[in-house]
Amino acid sequence: MKLVCSQSDLNANLSLVSRAVPSRPTHPVLAHILLSADEKTQKVLLRAFDLSLGIQTSFSAQVSVGGTITLPAKLLGDIVSRLSEGEIEIVDEGGDEGENSGIVALIATSGRYQFRTMDAEDFPDLPQIGEQGDAETLLLPAKILTEGLRATLFAASTEETKQVLTGIHLACNETELEFAATDGHRLAVVSLDTADVAEEEREEEGEEKETPPVNSSESPVEVTIPAKALRELAALLSTWEGADIVELNFDDSQVAFELGGKDNNGIQARRLTSRKLEGAYPAYERLIPDDFTLSAIVDRRLLIAGVERVAVLTDSKNHVVKFSLNSDKSELELSVDTIDVGKAREFIEMQISGESIEVAFNVKYLMDGLKALPTSNIMMQMNEPKQPVIFTPLGGVKMTYLVMPVQLRD
């Protein structure tokens, strides 16, 4: 194998696929990246797989001799990232009976590096969707997918004991896609309509654009996907400008996101695979109250700034800020009272409808949600101090952020 590519292309694609290289591989070859070069298509494919999460990307290169090799992911990444921009030549110096069998050279303007490789045939293939059962397909506008992940990923659980809660739950019908995430302390739900997104794009670009249905089946579809995999998908989307539609295929055990078209060999430009999360996702709709005794409207940026200031005086054990909503004064008092640290008070104007009330929040859970809400003004709704508090944006994306308050001590 022999090819020439740019340092920037190789470095960018290595950074993406390296996210699927396990830190403690169960088999030595999994610590490597699979590199395939195709002489006909003049493309280089990179693949990494930890047996749960798999990432595959491709980019253009000058391929004079095709082939497939494995390269140690960390060593390759450390070297390529430190090289100056310019052309890099990769040459397989091995042969079936050659003296240097299993040696690959990387040649740059500043120097030459050699790597020992492993047998490419030992590198596992990414899962093929549908082999273990009927497959479902969803066509997701990249803009909707990006927005939905941004608004929910932060709320997924990080505790492996709560397996199904470590994922994002996707539910969709023909044109609407709903994202939901919860860790038991807070819940983020966002509903996005492809028709609304298509209308926005038409206004921005001044041209007609047809958006295919998200779900072409007659019945709604639901799937829960690990947040870890979706964070990597968000990274892929942030660096990809060639796909308006992302294809999601899934069966009984696996999911696969596919971006861009396929080459003449049927190889996808970018592909991410992951295991599905098993188990029933909680019926989160039941947690959101239908009616509220208090509603308040506040400037989100002012609220975030106020909370950040008073939170300086909280301690690590009781990272709590108290909200005192005074309907007579149309005022919110933010307060922190920490015995060994000090006290803080801030006052913010807000429109309040309902009886005055006091409620307290864990600062992290509160701030995560406030920063994810997309509009300048937000609505806060609640009933009793021990019941869920709902934050929603005024206008824009249809999003609900529910956070459980902290019990106040007398």
Side-chain angles (χ1 to χ4, degrees):
M1 185 188 73
K2 186 176 182 180
L3 66 93
V4 176
C5 65
S6 72
Q7 183 273 345
S8 57
D9 283 345
L10 181 57
N11 187 48
N13 284 274
L14 273 176
S15 297
L16 290 173
V17 299
S18 292
R19 297 167 181 266
V21 176
S23 56
R24 295 180 179 178
T26 56
H27 192 284
V29 77
L30 297 180
H32 286 225
I33 284 174
L34 186 77
L35 185 152
S36 296
D38 191 294
E39 196 173 343
K40 293 181 180 179
T41 62
Q42 294 293 293
K43 293 280 188 180
V44 172
L45 177 145
L46 298 180
R47 178 189 299 161
F49 189 28
D50 66 6
L51 300 184
S52 177
L53 172 69
I55 300 177
Q56 175 177 292
T57 71
S58 65
F59 59 96
S60 298
Q62 301 170 35
V63 182
S64 52
V65 181
T68 300
I69 58 173
T70 68
L71 292 167
K74 188 177 187 310
L75 289 177
L76 182 64
D78 286 348
I79 290 172
V80 172
S81 64
R82 288 169 170 79
L83 293 174
S84 300
E85 172 58 38
E87 289 189 343
I88 291 176
E89 184 177 8
I90 297 177
V91 182
D92 183 358
E93 297 185 335
D96 293 338
E97 300 177 359
E99 182 180 348
N100 296 321
S101 180
I103 300 295
V104 171
L106 186 151
I107 305 164
T109 55
S110 58
R112 176 188 178 93
Y113 305 86
Q114 289 182 314
F115 303 91
R116 290 198 175 275
T117 69
M118 300 186 71
D119 191 344
E121 293 184 359
D122 292 337
F123 200 93
D125 292 330
L126 295 185
Q128 296 301 312
I129 306 301
E131 289 185 339
Q132 301 179 20
D134 294 336
E136 299 275 3
T137 298
L138 302 178
L139 300 178
L140 311 175
K143 186 174 182 179
I144 280 186
L145 193 51
T146 300
E147 183 64 32
L149 295 179
R150 185 200 67 81
T152 54
L153 273 172
F154 70 91
S157 177
T158 57
E159 297 181 26
E160 292 302 321
T161 54
K162 301 177 179 179
Q163 189 63 220
V164 74
L165 299 187
T166 62
I168 306 298
H169 188 71
L170 275 65
C172 69
N173 53 33
E174 186 176 354
T175 60
E176 189 174 59
L177 183 63
E178 183 171 273
F179 299 75
T182 180
D183 61 5
H185 302 285
R186 63 308 191 36
L187 165 69
V189 181
V190 58
S191 298
L192 298 160
D193 195 303
T194 56
D196 293 339
V197 172
E199 180 62 29
E200 291 177 7
E201 292 181 345
R202 281 193 293 269
E203 293 177 355
E204 293 174 0
E205 301 175 11
E207 61 181 31
E208 293 294 323
K209 179 178 289 187
E210 292 186 8
T211 303
V214 173
N215 176 17
S216 58
S217 65
E218 296 181 357
S219 58
V221 173
E222 298 184 19
V223 59
T224 306
I225 303 170
K228 176 185 176 182
L230 293 175
R231 289 189 184 95
E232 307 313 334
L233 176 65
L236 287 177
L237 290 170
S238 68
T239 61
W240 181 253
E241 299 178 353
D244 291 329
I245 300 295
V246 177
E247 186 174 314
L248 167 58
N249 298 297
F250 61 95
D251 56 21
D252 293 338
S253 60
Q254 300 282 338
V255 299
F257 291 91
E258 299 183 346
L259 292 73
K262 297 180 179 180
D263 63 20
N264 295 334
N265 296 325
I267 302 298
Q268 194 74 36
R270 286 189 177 178
R271 189 168 189 257
L272 182 147
T273 66
S274 172
R275 291 177 179 169
K276 280 174 55 178
L277 289 176
E278 298 180 356
Y281 202 78
Y284 53 86
E285 304 91 344
R286 300 176 185 174
L287 301 175
I288 304 173
D290 294 324
D291 301 304
F292 301 93
T293 58
L294 180 142
S295 295
I297 297 174
V298 64
D299 185 304
R300 183 178 66 92
R301 295 182 181 87
L302 289 179
L303 181 57
I304 289 174
V307 172
E308 287 179 334
R309 286 191 292 268
V310 300
V312 173
L313 272 73
T314 62
D315 61 26
S316 57
K317 293 183 179 179
N318 300 303
H319 206 47
V320 173
V321 61
K322 185 170 80 171
F323 279 40
S324 300
L325 291 90
N326 189 318
S327 58
D328 294 330
K329 296 182 179 180
S330 295
E331 184 180 75
L332 166 65
E333 178 186 343
L334 303 174
S335 61
V336 169
D337 189 347
T338 309
I339 296 175
D340 298 328
V341 181
K343 297 181 180 181
R345 296 286 185 277
E346 285 257 356
F347 296 90
I348 299 174
E349 290 185 2
M350 65 189 314
Q351 303 173 35
I352 302 174
S353 175
E355 297 294 325
S356 299
I357 199 169
E358 291 186 348
V359 63
F361 299 100
N362 175 288
V363 172
K364 173 176 169 48
Y365 294 151
L366 175 67
M367 292 297 289
D368 284 348
L370 293 179
K371 290 179 178 179
L373 291 166
T375 56
S376 298
N377 292 318
I378 59 174
M379 178 175 288
M380 176 181 177
Q381 297 173 293
M382 61 181 297
N383 291 306
E384 300 295 328
K386 297 180 182 180
Q387 295 180 358
V389 179
I390 305 296
F391 292 91
T392 54
L394 292 180
V397 174
K398 183 181 177 182
M399 178 179 175
T400 299
Y401 182 62
L402 177 154
V403 59
M404 293 300 299
V406 177
Q407 186 172 352
L408 288 168
R409 297 180 179 178
D410 297 330

